[in-house]
Amino acid sequence: MSLWFIGAQAQETVRGVVTDAAGEPLIGANVIEYGTANAAVTDIDGQYKIKVSNASQKILVASYVGYVTQTKKIGGLEVVNFFLEEYQQTLDK
């Protein structure tokens, strides 16, 4: 019977938007629940929705090719927005 309680943990939905520094939505950005395989991908408006268990202690990670990955603690919030900055790297000649 204790296994039933483990599998029946309450899940909470966290949603938000992933944008670049100019406020433009990033289509196809990844939002992952840290330490798990639980993930979501942003839509055409940069919006995502992900179900997590115990949101007050979870961390979300947003990433997009060419941008700096950002990590945020959910802290029980229902809306978590990400503003990603372009990755700046100088190339050696």
Side-chain angles (χ1 to χ4, degrees):
M1 183 152 176
S2 64
L3 290 178
W4 180 81
F5 288 111
I6 292 172
Q9 291 179 348
Q11 289 196 330
E12 300 172 48
T13 300
V14 178
R15 61 185 171 81
V17 179
V18 180
T19 60
D20 64 13
E24 295 297 319
L26 293 176
I27 303 166
N30 295 304
V31 179
I32 302 169
E33 180 181 356
Y34 182 78
T36 73
N38 186 23
V41 177
T42 58
D43 64 14
I44 194 166
D45 297 317
Q47 297 180 3
Y48 74 92
K49 191 183 298 185
I50 189 169
K51 289 189 177 194
V52 296
S53 57
N54 194 5
S56 64
Q57 296 182 10
K58 294 294 180 176
I59 295 172
L60 292 180
V61 180
S63 63
Y64 192 74
V65 175
Y67 288 78
V68 178
T69 299
Q70 188 178 34
T71 303
K72 286 190 174 183
K73 186 170 182 178
I74 299 171
L77 296 173
E78 292 179 11
V79 177
V80 178
N81 296 321
F82 291 91
F83 304 95
L84 302 185
E85 296 180 13
E86 285 188 63
Y87 183 71
Q88 302 293 324
Q89 180 178 7
T90 5
L91 298 175
D92 294 329
K93 294 183 179 183

